[in-house]
């Protein structure tokens, strides 16, 4: 039941507040420990060495240091060791020197068994020594034990002094340990004490309360002292079973990390303790492509990979941060105190760096990566549920945009009430055929002939007026509506193409589809049925996809893409230059046309860099035997520069604005004669 989040063995940074605190406690404690042997007379020392009772008590102290009594798996300062009872008994009976030396021996043996870090060993010895010294001082001042060299047996009237000594012992240990934990985890010492004092006080009351009885039994019948081990063993095993059940309820069985239940408790505590101006951060982390490992190599390998991920995450966060596993390949990291969004992003970046180190399993090397979403209190949410929801929104934005890390932004939250209402309105608009297609021509830059039109979706909301496609299309892509919207647009485009072809306007219509729709195996069948229904050839329609599809390996093997090629429907790559793909990858897709993004085209006259980019794209597209189309052409100078580069086609407001079907029909009819549609005769379109 080791806690993967326990980073107390990590040494403090030299010069830090924790380092200074530990140094002060250790120095003071070891001074007291160094003085202790000098307080034992030679005769008493010889008597102790010959006494079986002394050795029996020392052995019980050592055994009591091996395993702590745990009442809760979530306690910050750990458990309480049964050795406390025998150390306090040694303090009462033999005095301070014997007690602190026996305690030090027990802690050293415990350290050898558990392999703790040296600073923890020295601190534990020091804080136990100081607690014994405080208790011994109380006994000497208030009453009871007077001389350290004479064995002492308490009587009834000594109980007030013993109680005060026990309180001093418990108070010093609790304060010293809580102070170290508070500095280590950057938490308030009041919060640490409040969280742990209840469990600790119960156990200490029982152990310290039995110590006088141990002394009495030692004095009358030493052979009966080991009998105290039996009830202690019963308490230990009962507590262990309780803690195990508690641990199973609040921790993940595979990785040992806290689960969602424990994360809720930890987050609520952090929110309750947050001070004005202080933020609490929740990071949601999802592994990329983990399903492929499970499906390919099986769940055992996937489980081992998750354990490695858990280990890396817990060793990449700050002390006091909580790493939890929510299920599957999803993890959460709670930052109880974080300066601002930039600091939270730094933690997220550090986590991703830790995960990107290659993992070797089953003779194979895995490259891991993750998408991380961040939400902060009070900036983004007031409670745990909203923090979780909004970090989840940010995480999916990071995954969809391949950005790695995203911080929650309300405007991008598709689950906000406003966006959900808009989604419902969009569904009704599709059902009622309230969406309209406008058409923008593409022209040959040399001869001026029309080479097709692009269908652009328009939505006039009955209450909100005209809504930009940039607002509702991304929302549809993240919902169940995208397939319906794509089918609606394709049906409307085919219907309009049929009207134009019957009127002798045989222009190809380009329709934008998402990468997900392109990979839909039902798309070629629906498209083929539509072409047959309207008696149109495959060249009447063209599908445009953004260059993000080049980053999807499925696009090169998908049956849908091959079926579209077999059907004769051409593909165009839209907004090229805004992503991270390369033109070399175009050779693996049946693309016939590449559209250069308007953000580059508009600045080719003013910007040498943009001119070089556009010229390079045009040259490479031509070398691959594809057509290049420039988007966003708005001036004669830009059009002339593109023609000089060898760009074949262009579209933009210089030639025509997006028009309704009726206006586009008139415009196309007027420009059917190539001799009447030379480039020089075209005029800038009237602004909307």
């Amino acid at each position: 039941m080791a806690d993967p989040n326990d980073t107390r063995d990590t040494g403090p940074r030299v010069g830090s507040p924790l380092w200074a605190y530990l140094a002060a406690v250790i120095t003071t404690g070891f001074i007291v420990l160094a003085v202790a042997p000098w307080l034992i007379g030679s005769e008493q020392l010889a008597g102790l060495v010959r006494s079986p009772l002394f050795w029996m008590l020392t052995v019980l102290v050592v055994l009591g240091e091996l395993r702590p009594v745990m009442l809760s798996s979530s306690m910050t300062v750990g458990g309480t060791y049964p050795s406390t009872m025998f150390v306090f008994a040694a303090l009462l009976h033999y005095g301070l020197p014997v007690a602190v030396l026996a305690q030090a021996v027990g802690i050293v043996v415990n350290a050898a068994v558990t392999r703790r870090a040296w600073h923890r060993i020295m601190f534990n010895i020091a804080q136990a020594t100081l607690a014994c010294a405080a208790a011994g001082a109380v006994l000497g001042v208030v009453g009871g034990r007077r001389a350290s060299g004479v064995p002492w047996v308490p009587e009834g009237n000594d109980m007030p002094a013993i109680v005060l000594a026990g309180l001093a012992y418990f108070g010093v240990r609790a304060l010293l340990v809580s102070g170290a934990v508070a500095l280590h985890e950057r938490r308030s010492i009041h919060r640490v004490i409040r969280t742990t004092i209840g469990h600790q006080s119960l156990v200490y009351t029982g152990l310290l309360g039995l110590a006088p009885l141990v002394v009495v039994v030692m004095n009358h019948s030493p052979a009966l002292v080991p009998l105290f081990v039996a009830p202690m063993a019963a308490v230990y095993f009962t507590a262990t079973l309780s803690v195990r059940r508690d641990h199973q309820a609040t921790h993940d069985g595979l990785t040992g990390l806290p689960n969602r239940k424990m994360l809720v408790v930890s987050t609520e505590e952090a929110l309750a303790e947050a001070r004005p101006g202080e933020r609490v951060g929740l990071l949601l982390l999802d592994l990329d492509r983990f399903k492929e490992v499970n499906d390919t190599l099986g769940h055992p390998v996937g489980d081992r990979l998750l354990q490695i991920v858990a280990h890396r995450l817990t060793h990449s966060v700050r002390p006091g941060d909580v790493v939890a596993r929510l299920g599957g390949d999803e993890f959460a990291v709670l930052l109880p105190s974080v300066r601002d969004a930039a600091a939270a992003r730094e933690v997220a970046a550090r986590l991703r760096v830790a995960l990107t180190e290659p993992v070797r399993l089953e003779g194979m090397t895995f490259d891991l990566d993750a998408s991380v979403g961040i939400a902060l209190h009070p900036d983004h949410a007031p409670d745990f549920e909203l923090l979780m929801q909004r970090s989840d929104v940010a995480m999916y934005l990071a995954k969809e945009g391949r950005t790695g890390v995203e911080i929650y932004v309300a405007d991008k939250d598709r689950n906000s009430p406003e966006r959900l209402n808009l989604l419902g309105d969009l569904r009704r608009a599709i059902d009622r055929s309230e969406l309209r297609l406008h058409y923008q021509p593409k022209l040959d830059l040399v001869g001026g002939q029309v080479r097709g039109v692009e269908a652009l979706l328009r939505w006039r909301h009955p209450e909100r007026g005209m809504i930009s496609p940039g607002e509702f299309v991304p929302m549809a892509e993240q919902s169940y509506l995208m397939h319906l919207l794509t089918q609606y647009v394709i049906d409307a485009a085919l219907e309009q193409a049929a009207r134009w072809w019957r009127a002798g306007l045989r222009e190809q219509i380009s329709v934008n589809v998402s990468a997900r729709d392109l990979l839909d195996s039902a798309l070629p069948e629906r498209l083929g049925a539509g072409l047959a229904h309207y008696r149109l050839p495959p060249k009447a329609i063209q599908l445009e996809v953004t260059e993000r599809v080049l980053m999807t390996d499925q696009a090169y093997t998908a049956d849908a893409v091959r079926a579209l090629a077999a059907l004769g429907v051409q593909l165009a790559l839209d907004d090229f230059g805004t992503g991270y793909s390369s033109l070399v990858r175009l050779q693996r897709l049946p693309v016939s046309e590449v559209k250069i993004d308007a953000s580059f085209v508009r600045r080719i006259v003013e910007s040498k860099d943009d001119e070089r980019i556009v010229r390079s794209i045009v040259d490479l597209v031509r070398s691959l035997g594809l057509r290049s189309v420039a988007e966003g052409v708005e001036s004669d100078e830009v059009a002339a520069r593109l023609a000089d580069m060898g760009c074949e086609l262009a579209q933009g407001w210089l030639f025509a604005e997006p028009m309704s079907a009726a206006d586009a029909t008139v415009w196309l009819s007027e420009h059917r004669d190539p001799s009447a549609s030379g480039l020089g005769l075209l005029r800038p379109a009237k602004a909307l």
Side-chain angles (χ1 to χ4, degrees):
M1 292 188 299
D3 186 1
N5 282 311
D6 188 356
T7 57
R8 286 175 292 181
D9 276 327
T10 303
R13 179 174 51 83
V14 176
S16 65
L18 177 59
W19 180 88
Y21 177 81
L22 294 182
V25 173
I26 290 171
T27 301
T28 307
F30 272 78
I31 289 174
V32 175
L33 185 63
V35 172
W38 299 99
L39 300 178
I40 304 177
S42 58
E43 293 184 6
Q44 183 188 9
L45 182 60
L48 289 174
V49 173
R50 292 192 300 266
S51 171
L53 179 60
F54 166 75
W55 290 109
M56 179 174 60
L57 197 61
T58 302
V59 169
L60 290 175
V61 170
V62 171
L63 292 177
E65 276 290 333
L66 295 180
R67 292 277 184 174
V69 175
M70 303 284 293
L71 293 184
S72 172
S73 63
S74 63
M75 284 196 303
T76 304
V77 297
T80 305
Y81 288 90
S83 63
T84 299
M85 178 174 65
F86 301 111
V87 169
F88 199 64
L91 175 67
L92 295 175
H93 190 62
Y94 290 116
L96 177 63
V98 174
V100 296
L101 291 174
Q103 179 79 85
V105 171
I107 293 175
V108 170
V109 172
N110 170 274
V113 173
T114 58
R115 297 182 180 180
R116 286 183 174 174
W118 67 270
H119 67 278
R120 289 188 66 186
I121 301 170
M122 298 179 69
F123 175 76
N124 286 336
I125 293 174
Q127 53 98 354
T129 299
L130 293 174
C132 286
V138 170
L139 286 173
V141 173
V142 176
R145 161 168 285 282
R146 295 293 181 183
S148 61
V150 180
W152 178 68
V153 179
E155 297 180 359
N157 57 359
D158 294 318
M159 287 308 298
I162 294 174
V163 170
L164 290 175
L167 289 173
Y169 181 89
F170 170 66
V172 170
R173 292 201 73 165
L175 283 173
L176 291 177
V177 173
S178 296
V181 171
L183 289 172
H184 177 70
E185 299 187 356
R186 304 181 316 283
R187 298 164 65 182
S188 165
I189 189 171
H190 302 291
R191 177 183 172 188
V192 174
I193 293 175
R194 188 167 62 251
T195 303
T196 61
I197 194 70
H199 296 104
Q200 294 286 330
S201 60
L202 286 175
V203 181
Y204 269 99
T205 298
L207 294 174
L208 296 174
L210 287 173
L213 296 178
V214 174
V215 175
V216 172
V217 173
M218 288 166 56
N219 184 63
H220 290 86
S221 183
L224 296 179
V225 172
L227 293 179
F228 282 96
V229 174
M232 289 308 304
V235 171
Y236 169 76
F237 285 114
T238 301
T240 299
L241 290 175
S242 175
V243 170
R244 183 172 288 120
R245 286 193 294 268
D246 180 47
H247 189 274
Q248 290 172 348
T250 57
H251 288 74
D252 174 56
L254 176 64
T255 62
L257 294 175
N259 59 15
R260 181 188 176 93
K261 181 179 179 180
M262 189 67 182
L263 179 65
V264 172
V265 173
S266 300
T267 305
E268 289 176 346
E269 289 179 355
L271 295 177
E273 294 293 330
R275 300 175 226 180
E278 190 176 72
R279 291 172 174 81
V280 177
L282 187 64
L283 280 59
L284 202 62
L285 182 147
D286 187 81
L287 299 181
D288 296 337
R289 301 182 304 278
F290 175 76
K291 187 176 182 297
E292 298 175 11
V293 176
N294 258 353
D295 293 344
T296 306
L297 300 177
H299 289 283
V301 175
D303 289 348
R304 289 170 60 190
L305 196 59
L306 289 174
Q307 291 170 339
I308 292 173
V309 168
H311 180 269
R312 290 186 178 183
L313 292 177
T314 54
H315 286 76
S316 301
V317 297
R318 309 164 304 173
D321 297 343
V322 178
V323 179
R325 184 186 177 214
L326 303 180
D329 59 349
E330 197 168 58
F331 296 82
V333 178
L334 170 66
L335 309 180
S337 175
V338 64
R339 185 178 63 256
D340 51 26
R345 188 181 283 275
E346 288 176 8
V347 175
R350 188 163 63 246
L351 295 175
R352 294 189 70 234
V353 169
L355 291 179
T356 53
E357 184 179 345
V359 178
R360 188 163 183 81
L361 284 175
E362 300 293 324
M364 300 179 64
T365 300
F366 301 95
D367 291 319
L368 295 176
D369 204 350
S371 300
V372 185
I374 303 171
L376 301 177
H377 165 84
D379 305 58
H380 306 137
D383 54 35
F384 170 79
E385 291 301 332
L386 274 177
L387 271 176
M388 176 65 74
Q389 176 191 341
R390 288 172 178 176
S391 60
D392 185 59
V393 169
M395 185 268 290
Y396 275 102
L397 287 173
K399 188 175 285 289
E400 291 169 359
R402 300 179 182 273
T403 57
V405 179
E406 285 288 343
I407 296 178
Y408 176 79
V409 177
D411 293 342
K412 297 181 180 180
D413 187 355
R414 63 178 181 270
N415 297 313
S416 64
E418 296 80 7
R419 291 176 70 85
L420 289 177
N421 287 335
L422 189 61
L423 197 64
D425 292 343
L426 179 59
R427 174 59 191 261
R428 287 186 287 273
I430 294 173
D431 293 340
R432 298 169 183 172
S433 300
E434 294 176 354
L435 302 176
R436 295 289 181 266
L437 291 183
H438 283 209
Y439 301 90
Q440 186 174 39
K442 296 185 292 185
L443 291 98
D444 189 302
L445 279 171
V446 177
Q449 300 93 336
V450 178
R451 298 298 189 191
V453 296
E454 180 181 1
L456 301 169
L457 193 59
R458 296 291 183 264
W459 180 21
R460 185 175 294 280
H461 192 278
E463 297 177 1
R464 299 177 55 177
M466 190 65 72
I467 297 179
S468 167
E471 183 175 353
F472 68 85
V473 171
M475 180 181 65
E477 287 181 336
Q478 299 166 357
S479 73
Y480 65 97
L481 284 183
M482 195 60 212
H483 288 309
L484 295 176
L485 187 61
T486 299
Q487 186 59 47
Y488 178 91
V489 171
I490 289 177
D491 288 344
L494 288 174
E495 183 179 358
Q496 185 59 50
R499 292 196 187 99
W500 282 343
W501 280 63
R502 286 195 297 269
L505 300 173
R506 301 193 172 189
E507 303 297 343
Q508 184 184 68
I509 298 180
S510 298
V511 176
N512 291 277
V513 297
S514 68
R516 186 170 61 180
D517 286 321
L518 179 68
L519 304 179
D520 183 5
S521 58
L523 178 62
E525 183 178 348
R526 290 198 302 265
L527 198 53
L531 291 170
H533 174 74
Y534 290 108
R535 298 181 181 180
L536 290 170
K539 67 179 181 179
I541 195 84
Q542 181 184 58
L543 301 182
E544 291 188 11
V545 291
T546 63
E547 69 167 320
R548 185 183 298 179
V549 73
L550 294 181
M551 305 301 294
T552 305
D553 292 335
Q554 292 174 291
Y556 306 107
T557 58
D559 293 336
V561 175
R562 290 195 291 266
L564 288 171
L567 185 63
V569 174
Q570 296 181 344
L571 296 181
L573 204 64
D574 197 14
D575 299 333
F576 193 84
T578 58
Y580 302 95
S581 57
S582 68
L583 282 165
V584 176
R585 305 189 74 175
L586 287 173
Q587 295 176 308
R588 298 171 59 191
L589 277 180
V591 174
S592 61
E593 187 174 282
V594 174
K595 304 186 75 173
I596 307 169
D597 189 68
S599 61
F600 299 110
V601 172
R602 292 193 186 102
R603 299 193 299 262
I604 61 173
V605 175
E606 297 85 10
S607 171
K608 293 294 184 181
D609 290 337
D610 287 334
E611 182 185 18
R612 281 192 290 269
I613 290 172
V614 173
R615 186 181 298 276
S616 298
I617 293 175
V618 170
D619 291 342
L620 289 172
V621 167
R622 184 170 56 247
S623 69
L624 293 173
L626 308 177
R627 289 191 305 273
S628 55
V629 182
E631 297 181 293
V633 179
E634 298 177 357
S635 69
D636 290 316
E637 190 174 3
V638 169
R641 189 73 60 89
L642 288 167
D644 291 341
M645 292 180 184
C647 183
E648 297 181 46
L649 308 180
Q651 69 181 86
W653 282 31
L654 172 66
F655 311 121
E657 65 187 42
M659 298 169 282
S660 66
D663 291 340
T665 301
V666 173
W667 192 95
L668 290 172
S669 298
E670 292 176 351
H671 294 80
R672 291 177 64 182
D673 182 6
S675 63
S677 58
L679 184 60
L681 297 177
L682 294 173
R683 293 289 181 265
K686 181 181 179 181
L688 288 176

